[in-house]
Amino acid sequence: KVRIVESGGGSVQTGGSLTLSCAASGDHYDNNCMGWFRQAPGEEREGVAFIWDGGKSTYYADPVKGRFTISRGDTKTSVLMQMLNLRPEDTAMYYCAAGLTIEYLCLAGKDFDHWGQGTQVAVSS
């Protein structure tokens, strides 16, 4: 079974920064796609950023381009997401997810089979 654990959420003011971490583990773990999704209260879950095959390619949703950076962590099965210049509209529960899929499906936010419990990000004005 694959286990996904997120950390790094918190409360900041507008313009502040946070870095989210995600670590995946489990027997025969071989997922090549990891990413972050978020869900604000009363809103649908949306894809934020995805990374395929250890960083060979990445995707960012328009609202976070230029402010968020997804990267491979210290291990092959971990990812980081640095979030700069945070805005109140970034407030949400952030979920890390992983899957094994081809590049274009990963970057389209598809085929994520394993999910974490989420870490809360709150940005105040």
Side-chain angles (χ1 to χ4, degrees):
K1 182 177 179 179
V2 176
R3 184 167 177 250
I4 306 285
V5 178
E6 306 102 330
S7 63
S11 297
V12 297
Q13 293 186 326
T14 297
S17 303
L18 287 171
T19 297
L20 303 184
S21 299
C22 172
S25 61
D27 294 338
H28 308 295
Y29 181 82
D30 59 359
N31 292 277
N32 61 358
C33 174
M34 296 186 76
W36 292 93
F37 295 78
R38 67 185 182 186
Q39 187 168 21
E43 302 289 333
E44 291 188 0
R45 186 178 66 198
E46 63 175 350
V48 177
F50 311 125
I51 185 166
W52 183 76
D53 200 9
K56 289 181 179 177
S57 54
T58 57
Y59 163 87
Y60 296 94
D62 286 344
V64 307
K65 279 182 182 175
R67 300 188 298 123
F68 291 12
T69 302
I70 189 169
S71 61
R72 174 180 162 172
D74 291 339
T75 68
K76 178 183 173 182
T77 59
S78 64
V79 291
L80 304 174
M81 185 164 72
Q82 183 184 42
M83 305 186 295
L84 303 177
N85 191 21
L86 284 161
R87 305 166 180 169
E89 53 264 40
D90 295 318
T91 296
M93 184 70 79
Y94 283 71
Y95 298 92
C96 180
L100 177 64
T101 189
I102 57 178
E103 182 180 8
Y104 88 90
L105 288 177
C106 174
L107 301 185
K110 307 294 184 182
D111 288 356
F112 284 87
D113 297 317
H114 311 288
W115 294 80
Q117 294 299 306
T119 185
Q120 181 69 45
V121 171
V123 185
S124 59
S125 57

